[in-house]
């Protein structure tokens, strides 16, 4: 789903989900209640209560899919803190940042080596993984830089 193609209301609820996921993952916050906030945010996804389902539906997402994906992300971050994705919120237009192979890999949930194999049309990548990487290439706007 393209951010430009959703309503301001949907964007607001997507922001609620992203913010909760970052808090559950332990993105730094100012204040002494950080641990409590992290536990509460994680429980929001784990329990999947009425408010969680309502926010997901208002964002235009299927709650079960959001829950599965966010909990998988939280498990990844727990075992590999470098997997933490920090989202910068701003009303400023994005700077022109060239999307890199590691960016594509993060979006697809694979290693940079695997993403590179797909980009360079190398063998030994399962069709399902290849499809995920190709979807991430499309979603991130990656374009191959030719020297």
């Amino acid at each position: 789903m393209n951010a430009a193609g959703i309503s301001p209301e949907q964007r607001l609820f997507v922001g609620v989900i992203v913010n909760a996921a970052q808090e559950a993952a332990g993105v730094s916050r100012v204040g002494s209640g950080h641990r409590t906030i992290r536990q509460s945010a994680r429980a929001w996804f784990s329990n999947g209560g009425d408010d969680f389902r309502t926010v997901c539906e208002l964002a235009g997402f299927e709650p079960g899919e959001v829950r599965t994906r966010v909990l998988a992300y939280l498990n990844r971050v727990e075992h590999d803190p470098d997997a933490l994705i920090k989202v910068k919120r701003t009303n400023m237009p994005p700077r022109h940042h060239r999307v890199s192979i590691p960016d594509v890999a993060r979006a697809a949930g694979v290693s940079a080596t695997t993403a590179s194999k797909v980009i360079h049309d190398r063998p030994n990548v399962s069709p399902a993984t290849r499809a995920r990487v190709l979807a991430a290439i499309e979603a991130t706007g990656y374009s191959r830089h030719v020297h």
Side-chain angles (χ1 to χ4, degrees):
M1 182 181 299
N2 185 334
I6 66 173
S7 71
E9 293 81 12
Q10 283 178 299
R11 195 170 306 134
L12 171 70
F13 289 107
V14 169
V16 169
I17 294 167
V18 169
N19 187 56
Q22 286 191 297
E23 288 178 347
V27 173
S28 300
R29 288 180 54 112
V30 177
S32 60
H34 174 66
R35 184 178 177 134
T36 304
I37 291 170
R38 183 177 182 186
Q39 291 169 338
S40 177
R42 187 178 271 272
W44 191 67
F45 288 104
S46 296
N47 298 337
D50 290 341
D51 58 338
F52 169 76
R53 286 191 301 278
T54 300
V55 169
C56 290
E57 290 164 2
L58 290 170
F61 298 138
E62 198 281 313
E65 181 74 14
V66 171
R67 182 174 183 265
T68 299
R69 287 178 180 241
V70 170
L71 292 176
Y73 165 70
L74 295 176
N75 285 332
R76 243 186 353 264
V77 169
E78 190 174 314
H79 293 94
D80 179 15
D82 291 336
L84 182 69
I85 299 170
K86 293 187 180 180
V87 177
K88 183 177 179 180
R89 293 176 186 87
T90 179
N91 289 330
M92 298 294 291
R95 293 184 182 168
H96 296 288
H97 169 266
R98 184 176 256 355
V99 177
S100 66
I101 290 175
D103 295 330
V104 171
R106 263 190 301 280
V110 299
S111 70
T113 301
T114 299
S116 179
K117 284 180 180 180
V118 173
I119 289 166
H120 295 100
D121 202 25
R122 302 285 193 267
N124 300 330
V125 178
S126 74
T129 300
R130 186 174 297 278
R132 277 199 347 249
V133 173
L134 292 173
I137 289 169
E138 179 72 25
T140 60
Y142 174 83
S143 63
R144 191 169 167 198
H145 179 72
V146 180
H147 294 275

